Every structure is written in structure tokens, then in C-alpha cells.
Amino acid sequence: MKDLSPAEYIDGIKSGNRALLSRAITRVESTRADHRELAQAIIEGCLPFSGNSIRIGITGVPGVGKSTFIESFGTYVTEELNRKIAVLAIDPSSTRSRGSILGDKTRMETLSNNPNAYIRPTASSGSLGGVARNTRETILLCEAAGFDTIIIETVGVGQSETAVHSMVDFFLLLMLAGAGDELQGIKRGIMEMADTIVINKADSGNEDASQRAMLEYKNALHLFPPTDSGWIPRVTKCSALKSKGIDEVWSIIDEYIRHTTSNGYFDQKRKEQAIYWLNEHIQQELHSAFYGDDDLNAALQSNKDKILNGEITSYTAAKELMKLFHSK
Amino acid sequence: MKDLSPAEYIDGIKSGNRALLSRAITRVESTRADHRELAQAIIEGCLPFSGNSIRIGITGVPGVGKSTFIESFGTYVTEELNRKIAVLAIDPSSTRSRGSILGDKTRMETLSNNPNAYIRPTASSGSLGGVARNTRETILLCEAAGFDTIIIETVGVGQSETAVHSMVDFFLLLMLAGAGDELQGIKRGIMEMADTIVINKADSGNEDASQRAMLEYKNALHLFPPTDSGWIPRVTKCSALKSKGIDEVWSIIDEYIRHTTSNGYFDQKRKEQAIYWLNEHIQQELHSAFYGDDDLNAALQSNKDKILNGEITSYTAAKELMKLFHSK
């Protein structure tokens, strides 16, 4: 079957055609050269119509209730606020078969039947760098398709949080009240990224524990250095299952957006993110150029042997290999 | 003044001439091309005589008593065990004037007058990559000069711990008993690297708190996944000021070395470290080749402008820049 032209994709996406949006995202995720080329043309065409959304990163360890939260949150913003929400995931470590993240579309049953919500299960294969690029480009396509609220979901135990933090406006950390072990379960670096910590499962019978957890996290956040945005991270609680407290989460996000828009941080951060990704992509390309070359790989192997035999230092070997790299 | 030949340096270092060792390290740390070339020749010549030491990384937040601990530890291993100790530091973030780390040689007064100890104040300027390379090469020179115990000191709050961990056999984390805030003060990733946690300042009046802290850290370590070496990280306490418990710290290190030597992990880890640094150096060289080029920098700037104007994506810009890079 002949593929559509970039213009056909772009028009389709701009008119909100979900089938074409999904197909375009599949092109973005493809590793085939012709698909990549088509994808780039589509993205360039959508670029002028992108950017007009709130990009929200959501993380938390498995079991914290991320799916239920996103379902409840998505229902709230679409039904109460007339917003359009797209839910993406970034999780290069998982495979679809393990189904750890968005692997099963039916995980968010209500939301996936909501005409103002778009859920994209992730193929989640390949390197973090590749997956991150796909997600960033998918954000642009979703924005061009009219989605004004973008959720990037990730599990809070991997390496992908920094990547997600570098592509969203607002970072939400979902936690549980209870054992006090949560501070151990989540990486400390992740807590420092959070613009808000939301204690989920603050259901009946769990109110006291949730209240204590809120205090604990408030205290913990005080130990961190001030944020670049001048925003003081908030702690709140909710019951995603009972849809309680979701409005409060939204009002925190709304307040953050107003705060950072008025002090210029919102735009500044997006610009910094674009430059950050430029440098990330350059690094990945340099890496591929070196390690993807057969001659260099052969030389790399023989230099490794010399290092392991104590004949040369790692530094000298690197210098030799770079000579070969530059001679090509 | 004409510099010495590589052979003169190598002979001098092998005979234990400290003045020549120091001068060679200065060449290693230099950024001048002729110095670098000389340094590489010296290092290659010393390589066959290097490796025969225990390399120990020591970290802890400021105020934990690292200098006093190293002084006490160094005095113990030189006087009681007839070992020869070299103390280096890696801390790219500090400057000599701030004197935060080994900036002042007199900080370790007893040890610096000890004929079996060599303390090298660090210039600590430049990138982490550069400083790490210098430190690794300095280790080799110190080993060739007959030092069989190498200490790499770092502050436990920066980015340098991963680098240090990747160049030592044993990683020692120094902590304090007390407020319970220590778990917050040190990065969690650092605790996971520790082969032993030593509670310092277990002086009179502080015994109970030290005992409690030991238990807390033992419990905390249980939450971590098992180590590759099969070693179970130990927790102990000492008073560096009173030179109490230092023998116990040494016996833990000794036990670790025997454990990892007998199961083959010691050699395997050193080999993995050498390959790790090969790849690190390659990455640094690729980075310099790209960002050190004037034309590429000019193109980088104009591409950044286009990105910020929303004309192209970061990925397309990276692709364009790589075309220019490969055409050179």
C-alpha cells in the first residue's frame, strides 16, 4: 500500500483525525529510513501548530496507582474543563509483553472511550535516547492535533525520569502514605524534580496516614535547594479511585502555569529543553558514528585486548581510535 | 630549563624519588600539548610496574571528618602495617582558593611529614572528565613509585563519586551519627556504592548515637540489591580523632580484598573499569571534536536560533550539524 504524502498526514492531524495521528506516530517510531524521512516531514509541517499545551510528567513506583490517577485526572479535565488530553508513556526498560506501562490499552478503560482523550500505548523498545526522541516528536504531533493537555507517564524507578523532566512543563510525583519506606523506594533525584507530590489512595481509613505523609514530604521538600522557577513544590493528597482531590491537583498545576508564565520561566524552560535535546541528539549521533562503524569496532576490540594485557592505557587507546575515526 | 626525558622520569619514579613523581604528576595535569605527550610516555613506561596496590575511595559530606580520618588511617597503615600510602583527591567543582579538599597540605600535618605517605593536593580545575583522567593516571604513577595503598578522596555531594567508584577497588563512605538527616544529606546512589559505611566521631558521649546509627545504616543497606562482588557491605564506627576503630576499618578492607581476590571479582572489576574509561575517553574525544570546531560552533549557533524560532526540531538540527561534521 502506498503511503500518504506528508501534506495528507499534516492536514489529517490538524483536522484531528485520530487514525492518521496514530499512523503518523507509528512512522515516528519506525526505524526504517523512508519512515524516518516521512516522519521528519510530517513533524516539520506540524511544528508551527505545536506547543500550545500543558505538558505534564507523571511518575511513581509500580503500585502507586498511576493508571487510576491518569484515568481520574483525564476524566476531570475533559469533562469539567473541556480540555483534550493525550496520554503517552516513556519506559524503555519494559517490553510490551510485560505490560508494565500502557502496554494494555484497556488499563484505562473509561479514558480510552472518551472522545476527548487519546491514549497511545508505547512500543517501548530501543534505547532511552531513541524512545525519548519518539516521545518528544509525538508530543508535537498531538499538540498539532489539538490536544492541549499532554501526559507523559513513566515509572519512578528507572533512568527515564530525567528524560521526561526535560520534556515537560510540570512534573508530578505520585506517592503512597504508609510505611515510611517510600523515601527509600523512589530515587532521591526524582523527588527533587517534583513540582508537586500527590499522595494517592487517601481513601477512607487511610486519612490519618495520608495527612502524616503529607507533612513528612513537606518537611523533606524543605531540605532541597530552591527551584529555578521560584515555585515552591506543593504536597497534596487524592483518591484517584474515588475521584477525590483531583480538582486540587489541577488547581496546583494551573497555579504553576500562571506563576511560570508571568515570570517568564515557562518559555525560558521550553527553550532550554529544545537546546538540551539538540545536544542530546548530537551526542547520540556522534556515538552511532563511532560505534556503528565496522573498522572502528574491530580496532576497538584489539585496543581493549591491549588494555586488558596492560600494554596501553585507556587514554592512549582512545587517542589511537580517534585518529582512525578522523581518518575515515 | 630543559625538561627531563621520559626514561629519566620513569627511573626516578621507580626508585621512589618523590620530587620527580610530583613533577611527573604536574605534567599529567598540564594541558600543554608537549606536556601531555611527555606525560603519556612516562605513564606508558610506568604501566608495567603499576597495579600492585589497594585503591580505596573515601567520601562523605563536608564536616564528617575526612581529613582526620585519612590522617589517622594513613598513620595506622604506615606504622602498624608497614604500608606506603598515597592520598589523592578528585573534586572538580572546588577551586584551590576555597580549599575545600586537600587545598591545604597542612590539613593533614602528621601524615604529610610521614616518610611513607605521599599527599598530592589537587589543582581541581577543569571538567570532571579531565580531572578523572588525571587522577587515574596519577594512581598508576604512584603505584610505580611503590605506594601500595592509594586513597582517592572526594566530597559526597557532587558528581564525582561515580568517577571515583569507577577507579577504586573499595569504596568507603564516612558518615556521622545523630540527627537522622544524614540519609538526606548524602545522595542515595552513593550509599549503594559503599563497600563499608564508617560512622565517624564515635567519641565518648556519642557511643549510643553511634550504635543507633550503625543499626540504622545496617537496616538501610538491607534495602539495596545484592552487590556484584557477593560482598555484603559492612557498617562500623570509629573515632578518627582518638584513632579508635581504625584497625577494624582496615580489617574490613582486608577481608574484602581477600573475598574478591578469591572469587575473581577483584581482577574482573579492574578490567571492567579499564574498558569503562576507554569508552569515557572516546566520548570525551568525540565531544571535543564536535564542540571544539569553529565552523561547527557557528552552525550550532544558527541552528539553535532556528530551533528557538520554531523553524526546525532539535532532531533535524542535529542531523544537519552531523552532515557538516562528517563533511570535514
Side-chain angles (χ1 to χ4, degrees), chain B residues 12 29 31 36 105 155 182 184 190 199 204 241-242 267:
Chain B
E29 289 171 350
T31 50
R36 283 300 312 159
K105 212 170 181 172
V155 288
E182 304 90 41
Q184 299 289 333
I190 294 175
I199 316 287
S204 56
L241 196 66
K242 306 273 175 68
D267 282 339

Side-chain angles (χ1 to χ4, degrees), chain B residues 301-312:
Chain B
Q301 194 49 55
S302 83
N303 271 284
K304 279 185 184 173
D305 293 343
K306 283 187 203 162
I307 292 170
L308 296 181
N309 289 334
E311 292 168 35
I312 54 170

Side-chain angles (χ1 to χ4, degrees), chain A residues 149-222:
Chain A
T149 313
I150 314 281
I151 301 284
I152 316 291
E153 180 187 0
T154 180
V155 286
V157 289
Q159 291 297 311
S160 47
E161 286 70 30
T162 310
V164 172
H165 186 248
S166 304
M167 63 177 77
V168 299
D169 306 312
F170 187 90
F171 199 73
L172 186 156
L173 174 58
L174 217 51
M175 294 288 245
L176 290 179
D181 284 333
E182 305 91 41
L183 278 168
Q184 301 290 333
I186 200 99
K187 286 195 184 169
R188 185 175 133 89
I190 294 175
M191 251 179 81
E192 286 186 61
M193 293 178 191
D195 295 306
T196 188
I197 292 178
V198 179
I199 317 286
N200 192 23
K201 304 192 184 177
D203 309 314
S204 56
N206 203 18
E207 288 95 347
D208 287 357
S210 306
Q211 199 62 38
R212 272 199 309 278
M214 275 181 67
L215 265 172
E216 279 169 27
Y217 289 119
K218 271 182 190 161
N219 289 335
L221 289 177
H222 274 300

Side-chain angles (χ1 to χ4, degrees), chain A residues 300-314 317, chain B residues 47 136 267-276 278:
Chain A
L300 186 65
Q301 194 49 56
S302 83
N303 271 284
K304 278 184 184 173
D305 293 342
K306 284 188 202 163
I307 291 171
L308 296 181
N309 289 333
E311 292 168 37
I312 53 170
T313 64
S314 305
Chain B
L47 203 49
R136 286 193 72 238
D267 282 339
Q268 184 202 326
K269 187 179 178 186
R270 283 218 174 163
K271 287 182 176 175
E272 284 170 2
Q273 288 178 340
I275 302 304
Y276 168 82
L278 170 63

Side-chain angles (χ1 to χ4, degrees), chain B residues 92-104:
Chain B
S93 63
S94 76
T95 56
R96 195 191 282 260
S97 61
R98 275 172 56 213
S100 67
I101 196 164
L102 286 183
D104 186 2

Side-chain angles (χ1 to χ4, degrees), chain A residues 40 44 274 279 291 314-316, chain B residues 40 44 274 279 291 314-316:
Chain A
Q40 283 309 307
E44 301 291 322
N279 287 311
Y291 291 93
S314 305
Y315 181 70
T316 306
Chain B
Q40 282 310 307
E44 300 292 322
N279 287 312
Y291 291 94
S314 306
Y315 180 71
T316 305

